[in-house]
């Protein structure tokens, strides 16, 4: 074993021992026993991503967070494929924070951008292939034969006479060999796991309650804190009166921290009850008069003037002026909450020379660095234990590590291990939303009904401004996440302009599942539908004709139309709508069927087709497409965040609904077989849902939807 491999092995032994020292009865995700028991089985660790025990158990160390998207299954499948492992022997565990686990493209340990599988596709395969080569070499030494005469199968090495040595039996000998820098990968035609509907590895522990989410972590002696945060973004505390709360049962301490006032108690309910009894005098600051209706009116005014040019081809203004037919439309989008099923939480054990953190995070390395600054410790003295995430959708990848940093501040005052729990209301009102946006689009047709000009003018907040990612604005001159999905408009239109106004609003915003595509996908696909109607052409065929240089767009469109029965008649009162969009390197098309009765929209069916290149597990893709459609439909039909006098009006699911089971449409999913490079799947299923529904409403009623969420009283 080379020095690096030995260093990694020792590091993980140390991490696991420390985890085992978390002797609080916790079971780590993916483990079949306590951490210290698993440690005893360690025999062979050829690289940072796999460990093979003498007990035949193979553990894949996963460097991305599991928040329902299936990485604790799909990434082990890649490694197990090249290892020729017995799938029944495969387990997983989350990686510790370490540069060896950094994202190969983004250079930090994180989960986001629907990038886990495509970024790990070769990485995990190579890790398995190297391990397999070493096991074969160990078997060749044992039998004194040429390694080239041996083969592997289901967790064992076999010779030409079918003598067999299991990987567990070979582990100790293999551990004494030097890992090769690389090894030959399989020809895809030989895949046994990749591309197959393998059962998820995390299902059992989620069903039997053994899975540990951040909210479950509570070591002995750990206290619970609930915070009173400012009711208005930018407000500061002038003073607080805890005379009613301080003496309440279980309350240990009430202290001011940078984000508000923390009540630390023996239990959650004691802390929350005391928090609600506080009297706090706030300096409400400049956002005290903030009102979303007023800000949207300012966005409309901004859109009347040219913005920062993002893309320009031909002369769209001249073409528009002399066109035969013209249309202009303004689309408006509200702030949105991530509304994760598991509210934010973070547990911290801060000591003089170390800091242990348990949380469900998408930003391990950034969180560790930010926590270390607050704790006054070197980064390497802060250890983050990544738990299962009860949903993320981007919220747990906060550029300021807000929920982690806050918990460390509280821990500094608690003098005991403490976990900070956010209530549902805290979570929804705590900021970091999908930004509000406006798209003003002008387009025109020639005498033959062919598009000759398109100008999109966007107004909205930047996600990257003021964050460690601001350099991307400096590089491009604009926030790329604001215009993604329209900057690369695929339709063949000769005169084109894309412009962006970066709005200065002080509501904290960040990425929300599918980021800028959530609004650009809607605006583009609704406006192209409006152009199709203006030309008197079928909206599916109109799109198809305008995509001559984009065969993957065309293929998903064709399959969606075919599976939806595009040309077949619908029952009276129903309409079909279609949309197609590229995001996160994957192509998605959706057809929605809806009806509208007394102003109520009912979505009956959604057909969703994806081309995500080479894929790993079709069952996971099916789940992500279904989840994406429900996520997108919930936002389209119900969701918005509004502010009056600086205060958010929505608090919980009664004012911010999600699609309920009886409201869910039948969702059919299809995958286009492809040998292209892998794309993402966690987010690409979202952007098409809302425009497909809106276009279906037009087909059913003749009314256009230009403002979300959909309200038929505002249809045009």
């Amino acid at each position: 074993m080379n020095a690096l491999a030995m260093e990694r092995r020792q590091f993980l032994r140390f991490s696991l021992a420390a985890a085992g020292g978390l002797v609080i009865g916790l079971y780590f995700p993916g483990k079949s026993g306590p951490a210290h028991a698993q440690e005893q089985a360690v025999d062979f660790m050829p690289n940072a991503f796999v460990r093979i025990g003498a007990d035949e158990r193979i553990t894949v160390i996963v460097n991305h967070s599991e928040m329902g998207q299936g990485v604790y299954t799909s990434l082990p499948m890649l490694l197990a494929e090249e290892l020729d492992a017995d799938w029944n022997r495969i387990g997983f565990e989350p990686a510790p924070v370490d540069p060896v686990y950094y994202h190969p493209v983004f250079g930090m340990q994180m989960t986001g951008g629907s990038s886990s599988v495509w970024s790990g596709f070769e990485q995990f395969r190579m890790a398995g292939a190297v391990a397999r080569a070493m096991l074969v070499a160990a078997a060749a030494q044992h039998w004194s034969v040429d390694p080239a005469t041996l083969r592997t199968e289901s967790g064992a090495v076999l010779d030409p006479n079918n003598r067999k040595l299991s990987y567990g039996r070979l582990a100790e000998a293999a551990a004494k060999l030097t890992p090769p820098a690389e090894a030959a990968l399989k020809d895809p035609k030989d895949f046994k796991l990749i591309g197959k509907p393998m059962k998820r590895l995390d299902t059992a522990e989620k069903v039997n309650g053994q899975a540990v989410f951040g909210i479950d972590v509570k070591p002995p002696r750990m206290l619970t804190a609930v915070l009173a945060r400012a009711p208005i973004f930018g407000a500061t505390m002038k003073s607080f009166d805890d005379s009613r709360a301080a003496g309440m049962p279980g309350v240990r301490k009430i202290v001011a921290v940078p984000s508000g006032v923390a009540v630390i108690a023996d239990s959650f309910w004691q802390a929350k009850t005391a928090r609600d009894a506080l009297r706090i005098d706030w300096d409400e600051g400049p956002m005290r008069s903030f009102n979303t209706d007023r800000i949207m009116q300012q966005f409309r005014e901004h859109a009347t003037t040219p913005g920062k040019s993002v893309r320009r081809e031909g002369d769209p203004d001249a073409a528009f002026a002399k066109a035969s037919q013209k249309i202009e439309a303004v689309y408006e989008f509200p702030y949105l909450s991530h509304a994760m099923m598991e509210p934010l939480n973070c547990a911290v054990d801060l000591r003089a020379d170390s800091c242990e953190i348990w949380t469900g995070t998408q930003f391990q390395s950034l969180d560790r660095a930010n926590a270390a600054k607050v704790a006054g410790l070197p980064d390497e003295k802060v250890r983050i234990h990544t738990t299962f995430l009860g949903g993320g959708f981007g919220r747990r990848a906060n550029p300021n590590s807000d929920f982690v940093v806050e918990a460390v501040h509280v821990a500094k005052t608690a003098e005991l291990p403490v976990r900070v729990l956010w209530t549902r209301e805290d979570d929804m009102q705590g900021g970091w939303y999908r930004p509000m946006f406006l798209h003003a689009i002008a387009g025109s047709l020639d005498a033959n009904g062919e598009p000759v000009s398109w100008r999109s003018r966007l107004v909205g907040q930047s996600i990257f401004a003021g964050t460690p990612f601001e350099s991307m604005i400096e590089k491009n001159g604009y926030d790329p996440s604001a215009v993604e999905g329209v900057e690369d408009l695929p339709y063949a239109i000769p005169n084109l302009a894309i412009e962006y106004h970066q709005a200065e609003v002080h509501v904290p915003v960040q990425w929300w599942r599918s980021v800028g595509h959530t609004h650009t996908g809607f605006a583009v696909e609704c406006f192209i539908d409006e152009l199709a109607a203006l030309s008197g052409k079928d909206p599916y065929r109109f799109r198809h004709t305008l995509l001559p240089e984009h065969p993957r767009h065309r293929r998903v469109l064709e399959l969606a139309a075919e599976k939806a029965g595009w040309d077949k008649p619908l029952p009276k009162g129903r309409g079909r709508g279609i949309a197609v969009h590229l995001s996160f390197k994957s192509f998605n098309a959706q057809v929605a069927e809806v009806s509208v009765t007394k102003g109520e929209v009912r979505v009956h069916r959604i057909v969703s087709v994806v081309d995500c290149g080479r894929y790993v597990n079709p069952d996971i893709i099916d789940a992500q497409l279904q989840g994406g459609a429900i996520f997108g439909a919930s936002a389209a039909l119900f969701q918005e965040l509004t502010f009056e006098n600086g205060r958010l009006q929505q608090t919980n699911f009664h004012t911010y609904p999600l699609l309920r089971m009886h409201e869910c449409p039948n969702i059919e999913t299809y995958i286009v077989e492809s040998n292209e490079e892998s794309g993402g799947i966690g987010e690409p299923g979202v952007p098409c849902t809302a425009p497909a529904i809106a276009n279906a409403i037009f087909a059913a009623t003749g009314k256009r939807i230009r403002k979300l969420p959909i309200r038929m009283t505002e249809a045009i």
Side-chain angles (χ1 to χ4, degrees):
M1 181 176 292
N2 65 21
L4 176 61
M6 180 62 77
E7 181 182 348
R8 295 298 320 132
R9 182 176 180 180
Q10 290 172 335
F11 175 81
L12 284 170
R13 280 180 180 276
F14 175 73
S15 297
L16 288 165
L22 171 81
V23 195
I24 50 179
L26 278 183
Y27 283 68
F28 276 99
K31 288 183 175 295
S32 57
H36 57 79
Q38 179 65 24
E39 165 66 1
Q40 293 171 359
V42 173
D43 278 319
F44 174 42
M45 190 166 182
N47 53 60
F49 294 94
V50 60
R51 183 176 64 243
I52 300 175
D55 60 357
E56 307 291 348
R57 183 174 174 81
I58 298 172
T59 303
V60 179
I61 296 94
V62 181
N63 58 341
H64 295 285
S65 305
E66 176 59 69
M67 45 192 166
Q69 83 281 35
V71 291
Y72 280 1
T73 299
S74 52
L75 293 177
M77 283 177 67
L78 292 166
L79 191 146
E81 176 69 67
E82 296 292 343
L83 184 59
D84 265 344
D86 178 352
W87 185 247
N88 293 317
R89 298 285 185 177
I90 296 290
F92 61 86
E93 64 186 41
V97 183
D98 188 87
V100 75
Y101 296 115
Y102 282 10
H103 194 294
V105 175
F106 301 140
M108 59 190 294
Q109 198 163 332
M110 55 83 71
T111 304
S114 295
S115 64
S116 297
V117 169
W118 65 253
S119 68
F121 201 91
E122 301 302 329
Q123 184 180 42
F124 277 76
R125 288 181 66 198
M126 184 56 69
V130 166
R132 175 182 171 278
M134 295 176 71
L135 290 161
V136 168
Q141 285 186 356
H142 181 82
W143 286 321
S144 299
V145 300
D146 182 352
T149 65
L150 305 180
R151 71 183 192 280
T152 54
E153 182 179 304
S154 192
V157 182
L158 295 88
D159 75 358
N161 297 316
N162 286 327
R163 288 187 297 173
K164 180 187 292 188
L165 285 171
S166 71
Y167 287 172
R169 288 187 62 189
L170 290 167
E172 183 175 357
K176 298 173 183 175
L177 303 177
T178 300
E182 58 182 28
L185 298 177
K186 285 184 178 179
D187 187 316
K189 68 179 175 53
D190 297 324
F191 285 165
K192 298 175 181 175
L193 299 176
I194 296 175
K196 305 297 189 299
M198 306 302 293
K199 292 182 179 178
R200 288 179 62 142
L201 295 175
D202 56 348
T203 299
E205 58 193 291
K206 287 182 175 174
V207 171
N208 65 26
Q210 200 176 38
V212 177
F213 293 81
I215 207 165
D216 298 322
V217 174
K218 194 175 189 306
R221 300 172 62 239
M222 180 165 276
L223 302 175
T224 299
V226 175
L227 272 82
R229 300 178 182 84
I232 298 173
F233 294 122
T236 55
M237 187 185 64
K238 293 194 289 189
S239 64
F240 70 92
D241 175 0
D242 63 358
S243 57
R244 291 189 301 173
M248 295 176 73
V251 173
R252 298 290 193 95
K253 186 176 284 188
I254 300 174
V255 293
V257 294
S259 56
V261 181
V263 177
I264 304 169
D266 292 333
S267 72
F268 163 75
W269 193 248
Q270 291 168 335
K272 180 190 178 300
T273 305
R275 187 272 303 266
D276 295 345
L278 293 173
R279 297 188 183 95
I280 304 176
D281 187 14
W282 300 99
D283 178 347
E284 296 188 342
M287 288 283 282
R288 61 184 178 280
S289 59
F290 180 71
N291 182 295
T292 35
D293 287 342
R294 191 178 307 127
I295 293 298
M296 187 57 83
Q297 179 56 37
Q298 292 178 10
F299 282 14
R300 297 184 193 111
E301 293 166 5
H302 281 312
T304 62
T305 61
K308 170 72 177 178
S309 180
V310 173
R311 179 181 172 187
R312 189 173 182 89
E313 296 170 5
D315 190 342
D317 298 327
F320 185 83
K322 62 182 181 183
S324 297
Q325 299 183 84
K326 307 171 187 177
I327 186 170
E328 296 184 65
V330 175
Y331 300 94
E332 298 179 0
F333 305 87
Y335 288 109
L336 293 174
S337 169
H338 300 77
M340 303 163 295
M341 197 54 64
E342 179 198 15
L344 292 169
N345 57 80
C346 183
V348 179
D349 184 359
L350 178 62
R351 306 190 181 195
D353 60 353
S354 68
C355 181
E356 300 263 342
I357 295 173
W358 295 266
T359 191
T361 175
Q362 297 175 242
F363 259 2
Q364 284 88 347
S365 54
L366 186 62
D367 287 351
R368 185 177 73 160
N370 287 329
K373 290 177 186 173
V374 176
L377 293 169
D379 286 7
E380 60 271 19
K381 294 292 185 181
V382 176
R383 184 170 302 127
I384 290 184
H385 303 276
T386 303
T387 64
F388 279 111
L389 284 62
F393 315 124
R395 178 62 180 94
R396 299 182 202 269
N398 185 268
N400 293 349
S401 307
D402 67 324
F403 61 98
V404 175
V405 164
E406 177 183 77
V408 178
H409 276 297
V410 175
K412 288 178 74 172
T413 71
E415 300 176 347
L416 279 174
V418 63
R419 59 175 184 167
V420 175
L421 298 185
W422 296 50
T423 66
R424 174 72 57 202
E425 290 79 4
D426 295 341
D427 195 304
M428 191 163 289
Q429 300 212 317
W432 303 100
Y433 309 124
R434 196 288 299 272
M436 193 167 78
F437 253 87
L438 178 143
H439 290 231
I441 311 181
S444 61
L445 307 173
D446 64 16
N448 296 319
E450 302 297 332
V452 291
S453 73
W454 178 302
R455 188 197 67 205
S456 278
R457 194 169 281 167
L458 288 69
V459 187
Q461 280 178 259
S462 164
I463 290 173
F464 290 168
T467 76
F469 308 97
E470 188 161 12
S471 60
M472 296 187 71
I473 300 178
E474 296 167 359
K475 175 183 176 183
N476 296 285
Y478 56 87
D479 183 340
S481 73
V483 298
E484 60 184 4
V486 63
E487 181 183 23
D488 57 347
L489 188 83
Y491 296 114
I493 300 173
N495 302 287
L496 178 66
I498 310 296
E499 301 170 4
Y500 170 50
H501 284 281
Q502 181 175 315
E504 300 300 325
V505 184
H506 300 291
V507 173
V509 295
Q510 70 177 76
W511 22 78
W512 184 90
R513 190 178 183 179
S514 71
V515 199
H517 298 281
T518 60
H519 51 88
T520 60
F522 184 88
V524 167
E525 286 304 298
C526 285
F527 192 73
I528 198 71
D529 221 72
E530 297 208 29
L531 284 176
L534 186 66
S535 71
K537 297 180 180 177
D538 175 86
Y540 156 57
R541 294 176 176 82
F542 187 76
R543 287 174 171 81
H544 196 273
T545 303
L546 294 174
L547 294 166
E549 304 298 325
H550 297 275
R552 298 179 77 184
H553 282 83
R554 293 178 75 152
R555 184 65 188 121
V556 292
L557 263 180
E558 291 163 1
L559 189 58
E562 175 194 331
K563 296 297 183 183
W566 182 257
D567 293 321
K568 295 180 180 177
L570 284 169
K572 185 179 180 182
R574 290 196 185 187
R576 280 195 194 96
I578 195 167
V580 62
H581 194 75
L582 164 63
S583 63
F584 305 97
K585 305 170 69 172
S586 290
F587 301 78
N588 180 234
Q590 295 186 29
V591 174
E593 287 183 20
V594 311
S595 63
V596 181
T597 304
K598 297 180 179 178
E600 297 292 325
V601 177
R602 178 66 192 263
V603 184
H604 300 276
R605 182 188 182 204
I606 290 176
V607 174
S608 182
V609 175
V610 71
D611 173 359
C612 55
R614 295 173 299 176
Y615 59 85
V616 179
N617 190 324
D619 278 359
I620 290 175
I621 292 172
D622 175 46
Q624 288 302 299
L625 290 178
Q626 291 198 41
I630 293 169
F631 197 84
S634 295
L637 296 171
F638 307 126
Q639 296 174 350
E640 67 174 335
L641 297 177
T642 56
F643 289 85
E644 291 182 17
N645 297 321
R647 288 168 168 79
L648 185 68
Q649 301 303 295
Q650 290 71 31
T651 57
N652 206 321
F653 289 132
H654 68 294
T655 48
Y656 192 85
L658 277 69
L659 208 63
R660 294 172 182 268
M661 290 186 70
H662 74 278
E663 298 167 319
C664 278
N666 293 321
I667 303 173
E668 302 168 27
T669 68
Y670 302 92
I671 304 172
V672 173
E673 296 297 330
S674 170
N675 289 320
E676 299 284 348
E677 182 184 355
S678 294
I681 197 60
E683 296 168 273
V686 175
C688 282
T689 305
I693 292 172
N695 294 334
I697 290 172
F698 174 76
T701 68
K703 299 285 188 180
R704 285 291 179 191
I705 303 299
R706 291 180 177 170
K707 183 179 180 181
L708 294 180
I710 295 169
R711 295 190 183 93
M712 291 309 298
T713 53
E714 297 176 330
I716 297 171

